[in-house]
Amino acid sequence: QVQLVESGGGLVQAGGSLLLSCAASGSIGRPNVMGWYRQAPGKQRELVATITSGANTNYADSVKGRFTVSRDNAKNTVYLQMNSLKPEDTAVYYCNLIWRGNYWGQGTQVTVSS
């Protein structure tokens, strides 16, 4: 059974930075896709960024140029470097893995104060 464990959320002022990490336990094959989604209060969960095991990336328009997704395949870990954070980035951020199923982390809160 694959489990995803996220870390790195917190409270930051607008303009600041945070690094989220997500480690997948268990044996994971390729190809696969890992990524990040977020859900703000009263809104639907939305894609933030994804990265394939071949390092192809995809970003939401709202985060392009500010966020960078990366991964370490040897550690089954995906990262999200978030720079120039805005109050509208405030949400619970969820890690996602697609490989023989669709797996989700428990979520980590990111709060950006103005």
Side-chain angles (χ1 to χ4, degrees):
Q1 181 70 16
V2 175
Q3 291 187 326
L4 303 177
V5 178
E6 300 136 340
S7 60
L11 172 65
V12 64
Q13 289 187 331
S17 298
L18 282 174
L19 174 65
L20 304 183
S21 300
C22 171
S25 64
S27 178
I28 300 171
R30 302 179 192 179
N32 63 67
V33 182
M34 298 187 78
W36 296 92
Y37 291 72
R38 67 187 180 187
Q39 188 167 17
K43 295 187 177 181
Q44 291 187 332
R45 191 173 297 189
E46 63 177 6
L47 177 143
V48 176
T50 61
I51 182 168
T52 69
S53 47
N56 293 311
T57 59
N58 181 44
Y59 293 92
D61 288 342
S62 59
V63 307
K64 284 181 181 178
R66 300 188 299 122
F67 292 9
T68 301
V69 63
S70 61
R71 62 188 291 167
D72 184 334
N73 286 333
K75 297 180 179 179
N76 287 335
T77 299
V78 64
Y79 306 94
L80 185 68
Q81 177 66 49
M82 304 186 292
N83 298 328
S84 302
L85 282 160
K86 304 175 181 180
E88 51 263 44
D89 294 318
T90 295
V92 178
Y93 283 69
Y94 295 91
C95 178
N96 176 259
L97 165 67
I98 300 174
W99 178 72
R100 296 186 179 180
N102 194 12
Y103 302 92
W104 293 96
Q106 79 283 2
T108 185
Q109 178 70 45
V110 171
T111 302
V112 184
S113 63
S114 57

